[in-house]
PDB file of all heavy atoms in Angstrom:
ATOM      1  N   HIS A 135     -14.000  -2.948 -12.179  1.00 36.00           N
ATOM      2  CA  HIS A 135     -15.401  -3.263 -12.386  1.00 36.00           C
ATOM      3  C   HIS A 135     -15.769  -4.605 -11.803  1.00 36.00           C
ATOM      4  O   HIS A 135     -16.746  -5.227 -12.185  1.00 36.00           O
ATOM      5  CB  HIS A 135     -15.721  -3.241 -13.886  1.00 36.00           C
ATOM      6  CG  HIS A 135     -15.445  -1.910 -14.501  1.00 36.00           C
ATOM      7  ND1 HIS A 135     -16.210  -0.796 -14.243  1.00 36.00           N
ATOM      8  CD2 HIS A 135     -14.444  -1.488 -15.320  1.00 36.00           C
ATOM      9  CE1 HIS A 135     -15.724   0.249 -14.909  1.00 36.00           C
ATOM     10  NE2 HIS A 135     -14.651  -0.146 -15.558  1.00 36.00           N
ATOM     11  N   GLY A 136     -14.949  -5.063 -10.875  1.00 37.00           N
ATOM     12  CA  GLY A 136     -15.291  -6.299 -10.176  1.00 37.00           C
ATOM     13  C   GLY A 136     -14.654  -7.534 -10.745  1.00 37.00           C
ATOM     14  O   GLY A 136     -14.940  -8.631 -10.313  1.00 37.00           O
ATOM     15  N   GLY A 137     -13.818  -7.394 -11.742  1.00 39.00           N
ATOM     16  CA  GLY A 137     -13.179  -8.561 -12.335  1.00 39.00           C
ATOM     17  C   GLY A 137     -12.254  -9.247 -11.362  1.00 39.00           C
ATOM     18  O   GLY A 137     -11.564  -8.596 -10.593  1.00 39.00           O
ATOM     19  N   ASP A 138     -12.241 -10.548 -11.400  1.00 37.00           N
ATOM     20  CA  ASP A 138     -11.386 -11.323 -10.504  1.00 37.00           C
ATOM     21  C   ASP A 138     -10.103 -11.670 -11.223  1.00 37.00           C
ATOM     22  O   ASP A 138     -10.112 -12.244 -12.300  1.00 37.00           O
ATOM     23  CB  ASP A 138     -12.123 -12.608 -10.098  1.00 37.00           C
ATOM     24  CG  ASP A 138     -11.303 -13.440  -9.138  1.00 37.00           C
ATOM     25  OD1 ASP A 138     -10.269 -12.936  -8.662  1.00 37.00           O
ATOM     26  OD2 ASP A 138     -11.699 -14.587  -8.872  1.00 37.00           O
ATOM     27  N   ILE A 139      -8.986 -11.304 -10.658  1.00 33.00           N
ATOM     28  CA  ILE A 139      -7.721 -11.655 -11.299  1.00 33.00           C
ATOM     29  C   ILE A 139      -6.955 -12.655 -10.457  1.00 33.00           C
ATOM     30  O   ILE A 139      -5.756 -12.793 -10.572  1.00 33.00           O
ATOM     31  CB  ILE A 139      -6.856 -10.409 -11.548  1.00 33.00           C
ATOM     32  CG1 ILE A 139      -6.500  -9.751 -10.214  1.00 33.00           C
ATOM     33  CG2 ILE A 139      -7.507  -9.445 -12.455  1.00 33.00           C
ATOM     34  CD1 ILE A 139      -5.351  -8.814 -10.313  1.00 33.00           C
ATOM     35  N   SER A 140      -7.675 -13.360  -9.606  1.00 35.00           N
ATOM     36  CA  SER A 140      -6.991 -14.339  -8.767  1.00 35.00           C
ATOM     37  C   SER A 140      -6.358 -15.441  -9.596  1.00 35.00           C
ATOM     38  O   SER A 140      -5.494 -16.156  -9.121  1.00 35.00           O
ATOM     39  CB  SER A 140      -7.979 -14.954  -7.773  1.00 35.00           C
ATOM     40  OG  SER A 140      -9.023 -15.592  -8.464  1.00 35.00           O
ATOM     41  N   ASP A 141      -6.783 -15.572 -10.870  1.00 38.00           N
ATOM     42  CA  ASP A 141      -6.180 -16.596 -11.719  1.00 38.00           C
ATOM     43  C   ASP A 141      -4.982 -16.071 -12.473  1.00 38.00           C
ATOM     44  O   ASP A 141      -4.487 -16.707 -13.388  1.00 38.00           O
ATOM     45  CB  ASP A 141      -7.216 -17.120 -12.724  1.00 38.00           C
ATOM     46  CG  ASP A 141      -7.802 -16.010 -13.587  1.00 38.00           C
ATOM     47  OD1 ASP A 141      -7.563 -14.835 -13.263  1.00 38.00           O
ATOM     48  OD2 ASP A 141      -8.490 -16.319 -14.570  1.00 38.00           O
ATOM     49  N   ALA A 142      -4.483 -14.887 -12.086  1.00 39.00           N
ATOM     50  CA  ALA A 142      -3.352 -14.318 -12.812  1.00 39.00           C
ATOM     51  C   ALA A 142      -2.064 -15.050 -12.535  1.00 39.00           C
ATOM     52  O   ALA A 142      -1.098 -14.885 -13.233  1.00 39.00           O
ATOM     53  CB  ALA A 142      -3.182 -12.846 -12.451  1.00 39.00           C
ATOM     54  N   ASP A 143      -2.049 -15.850 -11.485  1.00 40.00           N
ATOM     55  CA  ASP A 143      -0.818 -16.604 -11.262  1.00 40.00           C
ATOM     56  C   ASP A 143      -0.831 -17.842 -12.134  1.00 40.00           C
ATOM     57  O   ASP A 143      -1.855 -18.425 -12.417  1.00 40.00           O
ATOM     58  CB  ASP A 143      -0.667 -16.997  -9.791  1.00 40.00           C
ATOM     59  CG  ASP A 143      -1.687 -18.024  -9.375  1.00 40.00           C
ATOM     60  OD1 ASP A 143      -2.839 -17.624  -9.188  1.00 40.00           O
ATOM     61  OD2 ASP A 143      -1.326 -19.208  -9.249  1.00 40.00           O
TER      62      ASP A 143
END
Side-chain angles (χ1 to χ4, degrees):
H135 300 290
D138 182 9
I139 62 162
S140 60
D141 57 349
D143 69 284

